[in-house]
């Protein structure tokens, strides 16, 4: 939200910057934004074709059936056409980004660090923190708020625990929700905040919510990549920024430590949107979440049993592995694959998303799901939220979509929580 006071502060900061440098653009910005990008639709009907597109280095924004939407810089367009796939230009991406929220441009021009008009319902970092603190005030007996450490730029990564005795470590199955690994996927922050609201405000009145909270310990991390998210909204238009804000900006979802960089599902080139970093867990943000998850091994047993990592867009439910298209692989047997797909499909029946093994989308290595599963046997899913196509707003649907598109997942989340103690129960097996 753009407040008057923040506006004044922003004007003051803007005035200082104007004295320091002729133009605001690029001041103290180590990892530079992209410019000159063109949007394309590429017809890529299977994982092999989509992986080929991803390997050209273009920024893959989303998938809708056989069509991938990508953003390509001028030097990438030759490689894109060289795939031999059908390629159709959708025009200048920078112009389309600049057009979003245009009416509020003057306010944001001076670096107001906020969402523009049409988007003020989204929570920026300060508003997210305020919301979490308000939840603590409203439900002191249901939640505990803790920092799991800091991002590259020093922002706290907050984890909210929901439990009927939040300040004690109960012997109950734990479940984890993470949001906003990718900076521009702002709708996911709203999803984590929705889950928090549902399972706190709903506790007193809704019997099934109470039963779930009473039998589990629920962890929610609303923003794994706050630096990137703030950077995405900090200038006159959305930047479509994906990575974190290290000087060699890294894709957090290619930086996890299982099969890191193994299989052509990430890039070793710093400028790529899927840059994996110089080593596994080189990103402070993935380190913090890794250390938190590792810390939940109590008495030799991982307490977190299941996990959803929220992304946008394409309306998909994905499960491991991402590094290989094989259905079974070391650490993943046929029964486990069946449990993953059975719960995935049942959740998809609730929200209308498309369920598939994550490598059916395209090959990724170093993703969070593969690490959570292989390292800890945590039943780890990726949800790719609304929309299905760039035409419906891509990463930037208007804030009027927040309520319908987050509540759309209520019943899928409820089903997930019901099985979160023992996912194999869904195929009649015990844990
Ligand atoms: C995906 S989500 C990763 C899921 N794994 C596979 N193999 N698709 C990504 O990280 O590229 C899309 C997104 O960024 O939201
Ligand atoms: Zn993502």
């Amino acid at each position: 939200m753009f407040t008057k006071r923040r506006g004044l502060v922003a004007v003051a900061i803007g005035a200082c910057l104007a004295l320091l440098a002729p133009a605001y653009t690029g001041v103290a910005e180590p990892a530079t934004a992209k410019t000159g990008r063109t949007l394309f639709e590429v017809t890529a009907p299977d994982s092999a074709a989509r992986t080929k597109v991803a390997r050209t280095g273009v920024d893959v924004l989303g998938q809708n059936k056989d069509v991938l939407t990508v953003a390509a810089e001028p030097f990438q367009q030759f490689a894109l056409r060289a795939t031999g796939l059908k390629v159709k230009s959708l025009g200048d991406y920078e112009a389309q980004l600049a057009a979003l929220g245009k009416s509020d441009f003057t306010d944001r021009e001076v670096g107001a660090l906020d969402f523009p008009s049409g988007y003020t319902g989204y929570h920026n970092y300060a508003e997210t923190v305020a919301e979490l603190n308000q939840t603590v005030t409203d439900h002191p007996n249901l939640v505990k708020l803790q920092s799991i450490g800091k991002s590259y730029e020093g922002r706290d990564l907050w984890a909210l625990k929901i439990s009927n005795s939040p300040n004690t470590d109960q012997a109950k199955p734990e479940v984890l929700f993470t949001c906003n690994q990718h900076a521009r996927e702002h709708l996911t922050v709203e999803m984590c905040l929705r889950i928090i609201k549902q399972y706190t405000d709903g506790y007193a009145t809704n019997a099934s919510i109470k039963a779930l909270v009473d039998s589990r310990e629920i962890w929610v991390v609303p923003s794994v990549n706050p630096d990137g998210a703030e950077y995405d909204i900090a200038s006159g238009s959305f930047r479509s920024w994906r990575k974190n804000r290290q000087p060699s900006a890294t894709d957090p979802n290619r930086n996890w430590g299982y099969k890191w960089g193994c299989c052509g599902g990430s890039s070793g080139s710093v400028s790529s949107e899927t840059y994996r970093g110089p080593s596994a867990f080189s990103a402070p943000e993935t380190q913090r979440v890794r250390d938190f998850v590792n810390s939940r091994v109590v008495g030799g047993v991982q307490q977190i049993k299941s996990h959803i990592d929220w992304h946008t867009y394409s309306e998909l439910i994905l499960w491991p592995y991402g590094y290989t298209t094989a259905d079974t692989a070391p650490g993943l047997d046929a029964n486990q694959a069946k449990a993953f797909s059975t719960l995935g499909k049942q959740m998809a029946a609730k929200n209308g998303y498309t369920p598939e093994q994550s490598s059916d989308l395209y090959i990724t290595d170093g993703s969070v799901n593969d690490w959570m599963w292989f390292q800890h046997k945590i039943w780890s899913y990726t949800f790719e939220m609304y929309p299905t196509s760039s035409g419906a707003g891509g990463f930037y649907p208007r804030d009027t979509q927040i309520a319908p598109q987050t509540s759309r997942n209520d019943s899928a989340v409820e089903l997930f929580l019901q099985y979160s103690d023992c996912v194999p129960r869904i195929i009649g097996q015990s844990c």
Side-chain angles (χ1 to χ4, degrees), residues 60-61 180-185 188 242 251 253-254 309-313 362 382-384 395:
V60 180
L61 309 185
N180 197 205
Q181 266 207 91
H182 290 137
R184 61 196 172 190
E185 299 172 10
T188 66
R242 171 179 169 95
D251 181 348
N253 209 26
R254 299 295 184 277
D309 189 44
W310 295 87
H311 289 254
T312 68
Y313 60 89
Y362 46 77
T382 286
F383 275 49
E384 293 274 356
F395 298 113

